[in-house]
């Protein structure tokens, strides 16, 4: 065994609760010094992240290919480019975000002025996911840095190549007195969660999200939980079927082979329209991925054997095993599952009770499309919901009646690319939101500040209390000028 391997193991073993406590204390000392509060420090770190991406693009591509066999185009477009765009947007808007917001005051505090000051929370923890291990690790870091916090990033151990690369590159490019990366698995994460943080940002599944929230509750630490759920696609019959089909495929199999939190989880359409939709999906899938999609270089593999087994279990369920109308091929040795369509799946089957997070796409049929709303609302609130239609009334009903983290009409997943929209869940699909200024706000405290002079000191605030004072104070707090006049004349 090499000396470097011994050193790595020793380092890993040494990161326990005591080491985590020391790390947090060191970061608190740096934060208390005021280093992270200046515009110059925040901007320098964001610029360094952009330089990191430009200098190491191929290494990032290679790491994601090692972890997921992710196609280079997906890595460049959906991880690196989206991340760089977020950095550039934050740099462009940072001064405006940092500027205090002047607000109106009331007659009750006259004369006075007031403002809302955005201040950093302190020392924050970011725990990221394996499916987009570069973007989902660093996108929250943009908000934490922009808001002026010190932070620890814990990348996912399920994407080890990307985790190792992030630790190396952030160590080289960022200010390590304020920003640290901790690698590891359950033990290291548990050690971090035992500490008191000023915020915890977690991306992953609901089971671990509950663990994170319970650990945070001990210290009354606020959290952002970016989770998931069963994101439905409602397909009407009055659409451009080819365009809709391609956009569904792009959002499902074109986003990490279905291993994405906003990936379409199932389709709802009418019994009459389902055959046309299935035929269109089959035709377009074959165009995109060929007759043997298990050999396609444009599809990610399943991340590991555990997730492969989980997906296989869905297909082996006796309620759905006979419902496969396309695909279903598997290669366990290569962790590959072909794009798979299942038609008329029972709603009580295993695949409809759990988030799929893979290349399987069930289709549920209804008599009338409006029934789809009841199907969606009978389950937990999803992270995303999609509708394909040209019917304006149906669009309005969809927006009014479907509660989800985000909605997209006539496409899938693209709302992620709009940094003026908040991205986050509702109910069991998540707590809190980020992207753009919402990321800055997620890691900021909005501090209320009221300024008064020594002029205009009103004696009615002070004892001895009288009926006249009570009437005047009641009118002042109520804020109406007429009420104050009536109080002065004893009319109220």
């Amino acid at each position: 065994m090499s000396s470097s391997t011994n050193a790595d193991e020793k380092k890993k073993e040494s990161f326990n609760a005591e080491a985590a406590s020391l790390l947090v204390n060191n970061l608190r000392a740096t934060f208390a010094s005021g280093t992270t509060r200046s515009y110059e420090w925040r901007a320098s770190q964001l610029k360094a992240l952009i330089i990191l991406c430009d200098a190491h693009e191929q290494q990032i591509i290679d790491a994601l290919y090692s972890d997921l066999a992710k196609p280079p185009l997906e890595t460049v477009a959906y991880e690196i480019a989206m991340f760089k765009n977020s950095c550039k947007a934050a740099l462009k808007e940072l001064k405006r975000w940092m500027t205090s917001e002047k607000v109106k005051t009331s007659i009750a505090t006259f004369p006075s002025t007031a403002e809302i000051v955005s201040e950093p929370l302190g020392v924050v923890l970011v725990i990221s996911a394996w499916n987009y291990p570069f973007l989902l690790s660093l996108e929250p870091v943009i908000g934490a840095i922009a808001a002026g916090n010190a932070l620890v990033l814990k990348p996912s151990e399920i994407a080890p190549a990307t985790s190792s690369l992030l630790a190396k590159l952030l160590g080289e490019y960022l200010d390590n007195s304020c920003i640290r990366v901790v690698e590891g698995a359950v033990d290291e994460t548990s050690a971090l969660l035992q500490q008191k943080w000023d915020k915890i940002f977690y991306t992953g599944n609901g089971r671990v999200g509950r663990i994170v929230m319970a650990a945070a509750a001990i210290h009354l630490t606020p959290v952002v939980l970016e989770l998931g759920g069963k994101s439905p696609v409602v397909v009407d019959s009055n659409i451009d079927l080819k365009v809709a089909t391609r956009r569904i495929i792009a959002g499902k199999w074109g986003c990490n082979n279905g291993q994405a939190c906003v990936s379409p989880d199932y389709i709802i359409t009418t019994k009459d329209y389902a055959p046309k939709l299935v035929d269109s999906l089959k035709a377009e899938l074959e165009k995109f991925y060929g007759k043997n999609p298990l050999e396609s270089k444009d599809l990610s593999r399943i991340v590991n054997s555990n997730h492969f087994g989980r997906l296989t279990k869905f297909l082996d369920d006796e309620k759905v095993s006979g419902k496969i109308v396309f695909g279903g091929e598997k290669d366990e040795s290569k962790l590959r599952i072909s794009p798979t369509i299942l038609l008329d799946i029972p709603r009580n089957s295993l695949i409809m009770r759990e988030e799929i997070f893979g290349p399987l796409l069930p289709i549920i049929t209804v008599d009338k499309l409006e029934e789809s709303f009841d199907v969606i609302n009978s389950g937990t609130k999803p992270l995303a919901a999609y509708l394909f239609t040209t019917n304006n009334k149906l669009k309005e009903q969809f927006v009014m009646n479907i509660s989800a983290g985000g909605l997209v009409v006539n496409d899938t997943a693209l709302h992620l690319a709009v940094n003026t929209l908040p991205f986050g869940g509702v109910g069991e699909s998540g707590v809190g939101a980020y992207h753009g200024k919402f990321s800055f706000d997620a890691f900021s405290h909005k501090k209320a500040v009221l300024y008064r002079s020594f002029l205009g000191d009103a004696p009615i605030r002070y004892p001895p209390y009288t009926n006249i004072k009570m009437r005047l104070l009641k009118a002042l707090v109520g804020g109406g000028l007429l009420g104050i006049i009536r109080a002065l004349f004893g009319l109220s």
Side-chain angles (χ1 to χ4, degrees), residues 80-100:
I80 299 172
M82 283 184 66
F83 171 69
K84 286 171 62 177
N85 286 343
S86 294
C87 280
K88 291 173 182 177
L91 277 167
K92 181 180 179 181
E93 299 292 339
L94 185 56
K95 285 186 177 179
R96 185 173 65 84
W97 292 350
M98 292 175 64
T99 302
S100 59

Side-chain angles (χ1 to χ4, degrees), residues 67-90:
D67 288 330
L68 290 153
K70 184 169 285 193
L73 183 146
E74 287 188 33
T75 295
V76 171
Y78 304 148
E79 302 229 28
I80 299 172
M82 283 184 66
F83 171 69
K84 286 171 62 177
N85 286 343
S86 294
C87 280
K88 291 173 182 177

Side-chain angles (χ1 to χ4, degrees), residues 8 31 56-57 90 147 166 183 325 336 359 376 396 415 454:
D8 288 343
F31 177 76
H56 299 279
E57 181 175 292
L166 285 168
E183 289 193 273
V325 293
R336 297 275 182 175
I376 297 168
E396 293 174 7
H415 59 305
F454 289 100

Side-chain angles (χ1 to χ4, degrees), residues 20-134:
S21 178
L22 179 62
L23 172 61
V24 174
N25 287 338
N26 288 339
L27 290 172
R28 288 203 182 282
T30 304
F31 177 76
S33 72
T35 300
T36 65
R37 289 179 175 266
S38 71
Y39 168 81
E40 289 73 21
W41 181 86
R42 304 182 201 197
S44 71
Q45 300 306 294
L46 294 174
K47 289 174 183 175
L49 286 170
I50 297 174
I51 295 169
L52 178 160
C53 289
D54 291 336
H56 299 279
E57 181 175 292
Q58 190 58 50
Q59 284 178 266
I60 298 165
I61 292 170
D62 292 344
L64 270 78
Y65 192 83
S66 174
D67 288 330
L68 290 153
K70 184 169 285 193
L73 183 146
E74 287 188 33
T75 295
V76 171
Y78 304 148
E79 302 229 28
I80 299 172
M82 283 184 66
F83 171 69
K84 286 171 62 177
N85 286 343
S86 294
C87 280
K88 291 173 182 177
L91 277 167
K92 181 180 179 181
E93 299 292 339
L94 185 56
K95 285 186 177 179
R96 185 173 65 84
W97 292 350
M98 292 175 64
T99 302
S100 59
E101 179 188 353
K102 303 295 182 183
V103 294
K104 294 179 179 179
T105 58
S106 71
I107 194 169
T109 61
F110 180 84
S112 64
T113 58
E115 63 180 351
I116 300 169
V117 176
S118 294
E119 67 175 7
L121 294 173
V123 180
V124 301
L125 172 64
V126 175
I127 304 174
S128 70
W130 55 262
N131 58 324
Y132 284 78
F134 186 78

Side-chain angles (χ1 to χ4, degrees), residues 45 48-49 51-52 55-56 168-176:
Q45 300 306 294
L49 286 170
I51 295 169
L52 178 160
H56 299 279
K168 176 178 179 290
L169 295 182
L170 268 61
E172 292 175 4
Y173 282 82
L174 299 186
D175 181 351
N176 291 168

Side-chain angles (χ1 to χ4, degrees), residues 233-364:
V233 184
V234 179
V235 180
D236 201 354
S237 59
N238 56 7
I239 58 172
D240 185 324
L241 182 56
K242 183 176 180 178
V243 171
T245 300
R246 293 163 77 93
R247 290 176 179 179
I248 291 169
I249 292 171
K252 178 68 173 181
W253 295 282
C255 288
N256 201 27
N257 205 6
Q259 298 170 113
C261 56
V262 293
S263 170
D265 192 272
Y266 63 99
I267 289 175
I268 308 175
T269 193
T270 61
K271 288 181 173 68
D272 292 339
Y273 199 65
K276 292 181 182 178
L277 177 59
V278 169
D279 287 344
S280 183
L281 284 166
K282 288 178 180 179
E284 296 301 322
L285 281 168
E286 191 168 309
K287 287 180 188 176
F288 290 176
Y289 303 116
K291 292 185 179 295
N292 186 7
L294 291 179
E295 300 298 324
S296 174
K297 297 184 184 301
D298 296 327
L299 285 168
S300 300
R301 64 165 168 80
I302 307 306
V303 66
N304 59 27
S305 57
N306 288 338
H307 282 275
F308 186 93
R310 180 182 61 80
L311 292 164
T312 299
K313 188 177 178 182
F314 287 149
L315 292 178
D316 291 343
D317 181 359
E318 61 181 14
K319 293 180 180 178
V320 305
S321 57
K323 302 288 187 178
I324 297 173
V325 293
F326 183 82
E329 298 87 9
K330 303 186 291 290
D331 185 340
E332 188 170 3
S333 66
K334 296 180 180 179
L335 297 177
R336 297 275 182 175
I337 299 177
S338 67
T340 301
I341 303 169
L342 307 98
L343 182 60
D344 283 327
I345 295 297
R347 287 172 56 189
N348 63 349
S349 57
L350 182 62
I351 197 171
M352 289 307 300
R353 295 199 306 269
E354 297 181 12
E355 183 179 8
I356 296 171
F357 221 72
L360 319 178
L361 185 61
I363 298 177
I364 293 175

